[in-house]
Structures are given as C-alpha cells and as structure tokens.
Amino acid sequence: MDSGLDFRLTLDNCAITRGGRTLLSDLSLSLGPKDLIWITGDNGIGKSSILRLAAGILRPERGRVHYTKNDEAVHPSDIVALLAHDAGLHSALKISEELDFWSAGSSEVDALTDKLGLTDLLSQSIKTLSAGQKRRVAIARLIASTKPVWLLDEPLSALDAEGRDTLLTHVKMHTEAGGAAIIATHHVPDDLGANASILKLSVPA
Amino acid sequence: MNMFGREIILSRRLAGSWLFALMFFALFATVCAIALGGQRGAMAPIANALLWLAMILSVLLAAGPAWQASMPSGFAEQLYLSGKSFAIFTAMKALTMWLTVILPLIALSYPLATMFGLESKAALGATLSLLVGSPAILAYAMVAGAATLRLAQGGVVIILISLPLLVPTLIFGLSFAQSFEVSGFNTDGLALLGISCLSVAASIPAIAAILQVIMEDG
C-alpha cells in the first residue's frame, strides 16, 4: 500500500433491511488512515451486513456510503478489500492459480505465501485444503490486493494460534503504515493498540 | 492469469459440462435414428429439425452446471472488489462455453447429418445453420442459467425460460438450413446471423445485471 495515501470510507445515516426487517438504522461511520474499528455483537445482529455495506456490495435502504481517495470520489474497488466468510475460491483450482488470478502482478505474493505457510501447498488444489488453509489463501489475497481499507469478517475463525498472530501482526503493520481496517468478530482481543475503537451492536431494549 | 485462462482451466478440469453435452447430443441423434427405424428416406427430411433440437437441448442442459462450476460462493463479491467487470467475466464465460461446449457439437453435426441421409451440401447447410445460430442458443441458455444460479431445481427452469425465447432462432435456423442447398448463404442466413448478434449483445449486460443482483442478495 502507498503509505502517503489519503482515503476515506464514510457511512452516512445508513439503514439496512434484511427480508423486510430493519437490521440497523442511523448508522454513521467514518474510516480514514490508521483507523481500526472492531465490530462485535451477537450472531445475526448485522456485523457481516455492515461489512457488506461498507464494501459497496449491499445497498443501504436509506443513507449513503461513499469512498474518496485523495479527495476524489472513487469506486469501492479502488480502496476496499474484503475477507468474507465465503472466499470465492474455486475447489478445482490450485492455490498458485487462484493467487495468480486475483493478485496478478503483485510483488508481495511470494513473501506472503511464505509468511502464511502456503509455499509448500501452492500446487495443491483448493479442495484438498482445510478451512484454516483456505482462510490463509484468502488472507494472502487480501494483503496482496494493496488496498488501503481492509474489511475482515470473523477473520480469526478457523485459524490456529500462529495464523491468528500472523494476521493480527499484518493488521497492525497495515494500520501503522497508513491503512485502515474494520474487523467483525465475536471476540475482541484485550490488546487493541492505539487508534482502535470498538463498535458494540445490541438489540434495542 | 486472466479470466479467459481461468475459465479454460476450469472447463478442462471439470469436463462434466462439455462432455455431457457432447454425449447427450450423440445419444439424442442415435435414439432418434433408432426410433425412425434407421430409414434414411424417413430421416433425411427431418434431419435438420433433429439436429437443431439436439443442439438446443444439449446447450440448455450444459448451461446450468457450467455456471455453477465457475461461481463458488463469494466469487461475485471478490470479482466486484477486484475491479473486474461482470460483463467481461460473462463475455469470457460465453466464449469459453462456445469453444468447449458448442464447437464439438458443431463438429459432430456434419457426420450426424450425413448419417441421417443428407447429401454433402445439405449436410453443410445444416452444420452452417448451427454454427451461425449457436451464439443465440448460448445467449438464451446463459441468461436462463444465470437467473437460476441460486435455485436448487435450476435445470428444468432453464429449459422453461429459454425454449419459448428460442422459437424465432429455430424458425430462421431451419429455414436457412433447408434453403442452403439451393440458394447458398441467403437472407435467412443473414437474419439468423442478425438474431445471434442481437442475442449476444443483449444477453451480456443482462447477465452482468443478474450477477450484480445475486451478489447484493448475498
């Protein structure tokens, strides 16, 4: 990522409905360089929906979501990368082919596959991987995307202790280098670091 | 690796859709020949119709699995966020399907046409009509396939949606196939070519819009 980049992701008074039910309303949020937001709350409360909204995948029922890069409005794909529950990796392709398709031209891929312990698995097809290994492939794709805004949906699930450490280290490096992230999770770690905030979702009493 | 490369690798690894279409095509023709008693005199007059029906049904049957095969869940979202366009993905998918599913059927249709008792020029007309009309068949099959991507019983719905839409293509295709022996590439051929171009041009943005909706629905 270009560390001098100025960017902003803004959710402005957004409401999300799902199947006719209002999941969230009046949600405003602004994310710029070095920001880290942890979203937490019970199952089904709308954590993933906020990430999909922020990624431009889900349209808000009301309100708007906008993206700027160096003060110019841009398409979400210019600044946002998403680590979703369903990675969209094809079971019949090899890890090397998937990374080549999604991250062609990225210079970081070799170093990343090494750090994520994927180097020996590159010629294996996705269907032979465990859930945690698939998650590592998706993480490699996310980091190699060199986008400033990372949206991570339950990123720590399926990962072993070493994988969690590697990911959290990368998130820390990313935000320190001027990137930003929103992490949706059940469990927020104790040591959040500077610039981190927590958004706790709950059902109104 | 680009999108076309990805689709070609997938169709090579998942031989299901094109091999299935090719076997269905050959089986359909063979069963028709048996049902007609193997009499060339009885088969020749309806050979064009049989080949067209075999082609349409083969492509419609292959369309659903072909979509399922290249869109794992979460793929549309990543495609959107990688800045790649749904329209280009659709066009590459259509091109791959035409090369891997349809081209083998067209190659097989000439020997089948002669087996049905058509003279060489008439058999060429049948093959040429399928070649010119196949983009239209593929376009409707792909729209219906995309629209039923998240349905459990998609296969039958694909046939229900596409068959009525394919009637004009079928009429011009048969008319061209039958008149080719006498008048060569005539206005019917041009009309068929027009239908194919129009169908492809309309289907790609339509499918891109369907994929967008599928993505937003999650």
Side-chain angles (χ1 to χ4, degrees):
Chain A
M1 205 204 80
D2 172 9
S3 59
L5 187 69
D6 185 31
F7 63 88
R8 192 150 292 277
L9 158 65
T10 316
L11 274 60
D12 194 6
N13 271 315
C14 290
I16 310 172
T17 58
R18 204 81 176 122
R21 184 171 66 99
T22 302
L23 213 53
L24 284 158
S25 56
D26 304 323
L27 176 70
S28 294
L29 185 156
S30 173
L31 192 79
K34 302 198 173 187
D35 288 340
L36 174 59
I37 299 176
W38 292 81
I39 301 178
T40 182
D42 297 338
N43 287 333
I45 197 101
K47 298 189 293 292
S48 299
S49 296
I50 294 181
L51 292 188
R52 289 171 63 81
L53 181 74
I57 290 166
L58 185 72
R59 282 186 208 185
E61 191 69 19
R62 289 189 306 278
R64 66 187 208 107
V65 184
H66 47 110
Y67 310 85
T68 60
K69 186 161 127 184
N70 297 327
D71 291 330
E72 279 179 35
V74 291
H75 188 264
S77 66
D78 287 323
I79 62 168
V80 174
L82 172 70
L83 181 72
H85 183 68
D86 289 320
L89 300 169
H90 201 294
S91 59
L93 292 175
K94 296 172 182 168
I95 296 183
S96 55
E97 290 163 345
E98 280 288 17
L99 290 177
D100 188 29
F101 175 67
W102 295 107
S103 318
S106 170
S107 53
E108 285 184 71
V109 174
D110 287 347
L112 278 173
T113 48
D114 189 39
K115 266 189 240 168
L116 289 162
L118 295 170
T119 309
D120 295 336
L121 307 171
L122 282 176
S123 58
Q124 282 198 25
S125 47
I126 301 290
K127 65 170 167 266
T128 65
L129 303 181
S130 71
Q133 288 168 327
K134 280 183 206 163
R135 182 54 64 94
R136 285 165 186 256
V137 177
I139 291 169
R141 173 178 63 190
L142 170 96
I143 300 173
S145 74
T146 65
K147 306 273 181 69
V149 177
W150 291 359
L151 305 174
L152 315 174
D153 192 359
E154 294 291 354
L156 304 179
S157 69
L159 289 178
D160 54 24
E162 184 206 338
R164 286 197 292 268
D165 283 348
T166 310
L167 176 64
L168 291 175
T169 308
H170 269 99
V171 170
K172 192 158 174 271
M173 279 161 47
H174 178 66
T175 51
E176 280 171 0
I182 304 181
I183 305 176
T185 182
H186 288 297
H187 177 71
V188 179
D190 301 327
D191 174 26
L192 289 180
N195 277 331
S197 43
I198 298 183
L199 175 63
K200 189 164 175 17
L201 303 178
S202 56
V203 182
Chain B
M1 183 166 58
N2 56 29
M3 268 189 244
F4 181 65
R6 178 181 183 274
E7 287 299 320
I8 289 288
I9 290 178
L10 284 177
S11 63
R12 208 176 63 212
R13 299 229 173 106
L14 311 162
S17 65
W18 64 268
L19 203 59
F20 177 67
L22 190 64
M23 287 173 68
F24 178 85
F25 190 72
L27 266 176
F28 183 86
T30 312
V31 169
C32 287
I34 294 169
L36 293 164
Q39 303 282 327
R40 289 192 166 197
M43 292 190 293
I46 54 167
N48 286 317
L50 292 181
L51 287 172
W52 264 81
L53 288 179
M55 172 68 95
I56 288 176
L57 292 177
S58 307
V59 175
L60 293 185
L61 285 173
W67 271 117
Q68 305 282 358
S70 68
M71 297 265 300
S73 16
F75 177 78
E77 286 85 341
Q78 293 300 330
L79 198 65
Y80 175 77
L81 287 176
S82 69
K84 297 178 168 88
S85 115
F86 285 146
I88 290 175
F89 169 65
T90 304
M92 289 303 125
K93 175 127 198 78
L95 180 63
T96 312
M97 269 195 78
W98 193 83
L99 290 172
T100 60
V101 176
I102 290 186
L103 214 50
L105 303 186
I106 291 172
L108 190 61
S109 58
Y110 185 84
L112 284 178
T114 52
M115 186 188 96
F116 281 149
L118 292 184
E119 298 299 326
S120 61
K121 196 173 179 198
L124 184 66
T127 311
L128 209 56
S129 73
L130 290 173
L131 181 70
V132 178
S134 60
I137 301 175
L138 181 62
Y140 292 114
M142 287 193 69
V143 171
T148 56
L149 202 53
R150 295 283 178 256
L151 293 186
Q153 301 291 325
V156 182
V157 185
I158 290 176
I159 294 178
L160 292 180
I161 295 176
S162 337
L163 269 186
L165 295 172
L166 279 167
V167 169
T169 315
L170 181 66
I171 290 171
F172 278 101
L174 286 178
S175 169
F176 172 52
Q178 272 146 12
S179 58
F180 180 80
E181 195 176 4
V182 180
S183 52
F185 198 89
N186 53 18
T187 47
D188 282 343
L190 280 177
L192 187 61
L193 187 63
I195 289 177
S196 275
C197 292
L198 199 64
S199 307
V200 170
S203 66
I204 289 176
I207 293 169
I210 291 171
L211 296 182
Q212 176 90 25
V213 171
I214 287 176
M215 178 190 78
E216 287 175 10
D217 278 0

